[in-house]
Amino acid sequence: QKMITVNKPYITKSGSRSRCNCDISVDGENRTVWFEVDEEYEQYLVTERADAYVVGLLHWCMLHGHDIKCLAPVTDELLYNITTILIPSLAKYAKDLNAVKIEAETAPALPGKEIGTGCSCGIDSFDAIYQHYKTDFPTLDLTYLCINNVGAFNECYDEYGRDKVKEERYQKVDSVAEELGLPIIKTDSNFADAFPQNHLFTATYSSVFAIYMMQKFWKIYYYASSGIDYGHFSLSDRECAHYDLLSLQCFSTSGLIIYSEGGEKERIDKTRDIVDFKPAQKYLHVCLTKPYNCGRCSKCQRTLLTLDYLNKLDNFKEVFDIDYYKENRVRYYKLLAYLHSMGNRMNEPVYQGMLSRPEFKKIADIEKIKNPLRKVKKKVLKK
């Protein structure tokens, strides 16, 4: 059986930054994973447990058939949840994922004290902030914001420059934190480079890796769901967002609770929640290619169409070129209708709602007639 060995983590320093390192042996080859924070947070970096690496590498190991051996203890509750619930469930239903064994000594959970959520400035992120900034349950209110770089600044930003995008986004999150009066912790890591993985299949694992690297810091963490509600729950679909309800429960312990925030809502509902939230109006960022919203990529288009449907376009003039959208609205409508005809249901609630608008319904009806999928099917049948 193939094996990875997670050695005991250790701390190094570089100027005003502190780095937790872990040497991981993969079939005899060493890969060093590091996770970095400002030195004031060094005391919260976890060297006493291998929890973060077990979570972060779990999908990778199940996909490649590697057992895990840890030379630092793993929290007993976490190991129980993963080995008795999560691994058997995934191995039973998820295509290509194998049951693997985890060899480790166990130890009690390390309790944290802060309550946080990510601040990527997307729709899901702002919804999590909006819902928990000030609530009817003060003991569950946010005390910190966080932005983790565990693969978000990837190849999709190559044209503009990954480091440039990261720097400009970090400046924006500072502004959000200042406006809300909340402190923010900014982390960096080479995790995605050391173990490249499919983001769609592993985003939850890599995000929770970052949370557990600061296990002594967090008491509660609201992990923003991806804009699909619990009705889409599935273990047979490899997309990790479809089973966050299970995985995040398994990744929670008595020392750290990770909530699937907003999992009861679709993205259109989240967008509706934040359209009057001033920080979102000033700092919303959904773009796949730039540190600002280009208005042309798929996520920008989807968001603009949603704001149009909600009649809230003008609320977001600071972050989108709304005049361009209005001048080219027909193009956006055609795209929405085309994607629907191709079977793409990501914007289904907006599509259905837009049908009440005569100008869109006319475009949608035309698209149905010239649906390219139907043409392809007819050709196949003729053959």
Side-chain angles (χ1 to χ4, degrees), residues 146-182:
C146 182
I147 183 166
N148 298 310
N149 177 29
V150 283
F153 303 102
N154 53 37
E155 62 276 1
C156 69
Y157 296 113
D158 280 347
E159 182 180 346
Y160 191 89
R162 299 189 198 187
D163 289 340
K164 190 176 180 182
V165 170
K166 184 174 74 171
E167 181 181 347
E168 293 185 27
R169 292 314 307 156
Y170 276 30
Q171 291 174 1
K172 290 289 186 183
V173 302
D174 280 337
S175 299
V176 174
E178 183 177 358
E179 190 155 322
L180 293 173
L182 289 172

Side-chain angles (χ1 to χ4, degrees), residues 140-152:
L140 300 177
D141 284 355
L142 290 171
T143 61
Y144 254 85
L145 297 177
C146 182
I147 183 166
N148 298 310
N149 177 29
V150 283

Side-chain angles (χ1 to χ4, degrees), residues 183-217:
I184 186 163
I185 182 168
K186 292 174 282 188
T187 77
D188 201 4
S189 178
N190 73 331
F191 179 72
D193 295 323
F195 288 89
Q197 301 184 75
N198 185 310
H199 178 77
L200 198 62
F201 299 158
T202 61
T204 304
Y205 297 87
S206 56
S207 295
V208 176
F209 159 80
I211 297 168
Y212 262 96
M213 288 301 301
M214 300 286 290
Q215 182 183 172
K216 294 184 289 186
F217 190 75

Side-chain angles (χ1 to χ4, degrees), residues 315-327:
N315 284 23
F316 291 84
K317 281 187 173 180
E318 289 190 52
V319 292
F320 279 109
D321 187 343
I322 300 302
D323 290 335
Y324 176 88
Y325 174 83
K326 289 179 177 178
E327 291 167 5

Side-chain angles (χ1 to χ4, degrees), residues 18 24 174 209 284 288 299 321 325 361:
S18 296
I24 300 173
D174 280 337
F209 159 80
L284 180 70
L288 285 171
K299 289 185 71 175
D321 187 343
Y325 174 83
K361 190 174 187 311

Side-chain angles (χ1 to χ4, degrees), residues 115 131-132 134-142 222:
I115 302 173
Q131 298 296 342
H132 297 93
K134 290 183 179 178
T135 73
D136 294 332
F137 308 94
T139 58
L140 300 177
D141 284 355
L142 290 171
Y222 299 109

Side-chain angles (χ1 to χ4, degrees), residues 13-25:
K13 290 188 177 182
S14 177
S16 62
R17 301 280 282 176
S18 296
R19 179 176 287 189
C20 185
N21 309 270
C22 186
D23 300 322
I24 300 173
S25 175

